Amino acid sequence: MQKPKSFRPWQPEQTTLLPPSPREWLSEDHQVYFLLDLVDELDLSEILIPAQAKDPRGEKGFDPRMMTMLLLYAYCVGTVSSRKIERACYEDLAFRVLTGNQQPDHSRISEFRRRNLDALKDLFVQILRLCQKAGMVSLGHVALDGTKVQANASKRKAMSHERMLRAEKELAKEINALMRKAEILDAQEDRRYGKGKLGSELPDELRRRQDRLARIRQARKEMEAETAAAAARQRQEHAEEAQAEAASARGADAPADEQTELTRKAEAAAAKAKATREKANEAAEDAGLQPPDLEPLACDAMPRRGLARKADGTPTAKTQRNFTDPDSHLMQSGGSYLQGYNCQLAVDSDHQVIVAVGVSNQPPDVEHLEPMLERIVASAGALPDVMTMDAGYWSDDHSGHCEGLGIDAYIATGRLQHGQPPPAKRGPLPRDADTKTRMARKLRSKKGSRIYAQRKAIVEPVNGQIKEGRGLRRFLLRGLEKVNGEWHLIAATHNLLKLFRHRRSQQQALLAASG
């Protein structure tokens, strides 16, 4: 008689006879061990020093180095929710090995990320430096692209300025009607039950409407303060330009009537700028905000959001503001609209390492080129030799700016309409050809078409690796400043994955060579 098939012993209730080694739980080349070795290569003093300065009494906290590596690994594998990270520390072997079998709760994970977001953002440059040291970045060819990432907010939670005004009036009428009804019921119930006993649901109904009215009114005031500040900045720029033109005319000994006219225009522009500045300050004070910053943006600062507004700085009827994340903006992406942010990526062609990042709530890409060039220098240490960009970055000024910096730029000038023949590749270029025509001819050349064709293979896969591969299609945090920190963390972990795979391939090559 044939013996029945036997199986391996399965006794989940039995404990191990000897303490197991974590090195036996995962493969030797697992990413967790790479991160554990990376701790000594990173400068975590900005995280460690504030933590060590705390009161030593009380319960011992988790090691900040472990918490940092935990967040880095979580973002590497696309787990960003603090509750999911906490659960993974119990259920996922890789997380348990990384934490030394410790399980920080979700509130500590969330608080650690919130408190150290700026320091975590600075890890992007440190990891980029490690990639450069490993020979993964040459800055020979860098592709720039912007991608729209959804905010932690729904576009259905936005309201236009016109609808806000209408809702305020309607809610005010409803509140007055409920107040009158409540007064009648109060009088009736006072006669029936005695004073001080209401006995109806009207106060809760009133409170809900009053809270909603307060939220809508505050959102409207903040929107009006933002558009007023934008108008004040624009008027200030016009005043400075008019003043410079008048000063130039005086320095060139222009005719007296011309100088008088330019001086008059400069004084009028200055008066308008002063009036709009006062209006912007009043709008900010009415909204309970700090006075607006009317100074020009720093050279590496992302552009400000341009909400639609009238000449006097008031919002248009269709200007919207989101209640959940007021800093986010309604943006077109893939033929539809999402409530999100414009996230910029500059990617080196050698190993698809990100060399600069930025986030703004301004949908068009064209305003992001110059600050992104400054960020490439700040993070990577130099400008690239060649840059490729799609038509969203095209402008005559950008072409000249890149040329002045010594960058061989290839910027698409637009898409050809259906049935329209492409411009000629050969033949003499007209003497009166403008900058756009010259760039179009450059892209149509054999060299230009070959270089520009590489753009989609450099930067677009990075967007896919972030959004599809790791599932980071939506921000967890809210507000432009926090989203900027999270985007830096996402980019840093992208480079971390590239560095891990590069070092692993080098080790495998050495093992193969040694036999």
Side-chain angles (χ1 to χ4, degrees):
M1 182 176 179
Q2 187 177 2
K3 292 177 63 176
K5 184 174 179 61
S6 60
F7 302 97
R8 298 178 183 181
W10 181 54
Q11 298 174 327
E13 72 281 356
Q14 179 179 333
T15 59
T16 56
L17 298 179
L18 294 174
S21 171
R23 291 283 176 178
E24 298 175 0
W25 294 353
L26 304 172
S27 60
E28 293 182 355
D29 61 347
H30 197 277
Q31 184 187 349
V32 162
Y33 301 133
F34 165 73
L35 284 173
L36 293 175
D37 294 337
L38 190 71
V39 174
D40 296 331
E41 299 184 51
L42 296 176
D43 180 11
L44 302 179
S45 57
E46 290 189 23
I47 299 174
L48 281 171
I49 293 175
Q52 291 170 343
K54 290 186 176 180
D55 192 335
R57 296 172 295 181
E59 183 183 4
K60 289 185 177 181
F62 293 100
D63 193 319
R65 298 174 301 168
M66 181 273 286
M67 298 291 287
T68 301
M69 293 300 113
L70 175 61
L71 277 177
L72 288 179
Y73 180 70
Y75 271 86
C76 281
V77 297
T79 304
V80 298
S81 165
S82 59
R83 295 180 184 273
K84 290 182 178 180
I85 296 173
E86 178 189 0
R87 186 163 62 248
C89 290
Y90 286 96
E91 302 174 353
D92 192 299
L93 275 180
F95 278 86
R96 292 182 65 181
V97 171
L98 182 66
T99 61
N101 210 20
Q102 300 180 77
Q103 290 82 30
D105 60 82
H106 64 273
S107 59
R108 292 194 181 188
I109 296 170
S110 178
E111 176 62 18
F112 179 84
R113 175 169 46 195
R114 183 198 65 79
R115 189 172 60 248
N116 298 288
L117 190 59
D118 289 338
L120 292 170
K121 182 179 72 173
D122 293 340
L123 291 179
F124 169 76
V125 175
Q126 292 192 47
I127 295 172
L128 175 58
R129 292 283 190 266
L130 293 176
C131 292
Q132 290 178 305
K133 187 177 179 180
M136 301 173 62
V137 178
S138 67
L139 295 178
H141 183 177
V142 170
L144 179 62
D145 194 21
T147 182
K148 307 302 190 295
V149 180
Q150 187 176 355
N152 189 1
S154 170
K155 62 183 178 182
R156 294 177 178 83
K157 292 296 182 180
M159 186 178 287
S160 67
H161 187 257
E162 180 182 33
R163 189 179 165 197
M164 286 180 182
L165 294 173
R166 187 168 62 247
E168 285 184 45
K169 292 180 180 178
E170 292 173 356
L171 285 170
K173 290 180 180 178
E174 292 177 7
I175 289 172
N176 289 333
L178 288 171
M179 289 292 291
R180 288 194 296 270
K181 188 176 181 180
E183 290 174 359
I184 296 173
L185 287 176
D186 282 346
Q188 293 175 350
E189 291 177 355
D190 282 347
R191 290 193 297 270
R192 184 181 304 172
Y193 303 112
K195 289 187 177 183
K197 296 181 180 180
L198 187 59
S200 74
E201 73 285 354
L202 278 177
D204 292 337
E205 196 172 351
L206 273 172
R207 193 178 304 110
R208 285 196 298 270
R209 281 170 170 77
Q210 288 172 342
D211 291 344
R212 179 169 172 76
L213 176 60
R215 288 198 302 272
I216 293 175
R217 186 168 291 163
Q218 180 63 24
R220 174 183 59 80
K221 290 180 179 180
E222 290 178 0
M223 178 195 294
E224 292 172 351
E226 184 175 349
T227 54
R233 292 188 196 99
Q234 186 177 26
R235 288 285 175 86
Q236 182 67 25
E237 291 175 2
H238 291 169
E240 291 174 358
E241 291 173 1
Q243 188 176 2
E245 190 175 357
S248 177
R250 289 192 297 270
D253 291 333
D257 55 346
E258 181 180 349
Q259 292 188 34
T260 302
E261 178 65 16
L262 291 175
T263 301
R264 185 191 64 78
K265 289 182 178 180
E267 292 174 352
K272 289 181 179 179
K274 181 180 179 181
T276 53
R277 183 168 60 251
E278 292 175 352
K279 182 178 179 180
N281 290 332
E282 291 175 0
E285 183 179 359
D286 187 37
L289 304 175
Q290 295 292 328
D293 181 13
L294 304 181
E295 295 298 322
L297 288 172
C299 58
D300 64 340
M302 290 289 105
R304 295 185 177 100
R305 173 173 55 184
L307 291 179
R309 63 183 186 276
K310 300 176 184 177
D312 61 351
T314 56
T316 62
K318 294 184 178 181
T319 304
Q320 290 191 354
R321 187 175 182 85
N322 193 276
F323 288 96
T324 308
D325 186 357
D327 286 345
S328 63
H329 198 70
L330 194 65
M331 301 183 180
Q332 189 172 10
S333 176
S336 60
Y337 286 89
L338 60 80
Q339 192 76 32
Y341 291 90
N342 188 347
C343 302
Q344 299 289 310
L345 290 171
V347 181
D348 187 82
S349 63
D350 291 356
H351 291 82
Q352 292 180 334
V353 171
I354 301 173
V355 295
V357 291
V359 179
S360 81
N361 47 15
Q362 179 73 320
D365 287 331
V366 66
E367 300 176 42
H368 297 80
L369 175 56
E370 293 189 19
M372 285 302 295
L373 290 175
E374 297 290 339
R375 293 187 175 212
I376 292 175
V377 175
S379 57
L383 286 169
D385 299 326
V386 176
M387 282 195 72
T388 51
M389 292 155 275
D390 61 20
Y393 295 92
W394 169 255
S395 77
D396 293 348
D397 294 337
H398 285 169
S399 178
H401 184 69
C402 290
E403 185 178 354
L405 293 174
I407 301 173
D408 188 13
Y410 295 82
I411 313 175
T413 57
R415 292 185 177 182
L416 293 176
Q417 296 181 359
H418 183 69
Q420 180 181 353
K425 295 182 181 179
R426 299 179 180 87
L429 190 67
R431 294 181 179 179
D432 58 346
D434 57 10
T435 306
K436 189 173 183 179
T437 303
R438 293 178 182 275
M439 179 60 72
R441 174 65 68 89
K442 180 180 179 181
L443 292 172
R444 293 289 296 169
S445 66
K446 289 184 178 180
K447 177 184 176 183
S449 59
R450 175 178 56 81
I451 292 177
Y452 186 78
Q454 299 174 19
R455 187 198 70 85
K456 61 183 179 182
I458 297 171
V459 67
E460 292 183 5
V462 174
N463 290 327
Q465 292 160 15
I466 290 174
K467 291 183 174 181
E468 297 294 338
R470 294 196 281 160
L472 301 175
R473 306 184 64 89
R474 179 178 181 176
F475 286 114
L476 177 74
L477 306 180
R478 294 171 180 166
L480 183 58
E481 186 176 352
K482 292 182 180 179
V483 163
N484 180 50
E486 189 174 8
W487 186 240
H488 275 77
L489 189 56
I490 291 171
T493 48
H494 169 87
N495 289 347
L496 201 58
L497 289 169
K498 296 292 182 181
L499 181 62
F500 162 64
R501 290 164 186 153
H502 178 74
R503 289 187 177 180
R504 184 174 60 179
S505 63
Q506 283 186 328
Q507 291 173 356
Q508 292 173 349
L510 287 174
L511 289 174
S514 62

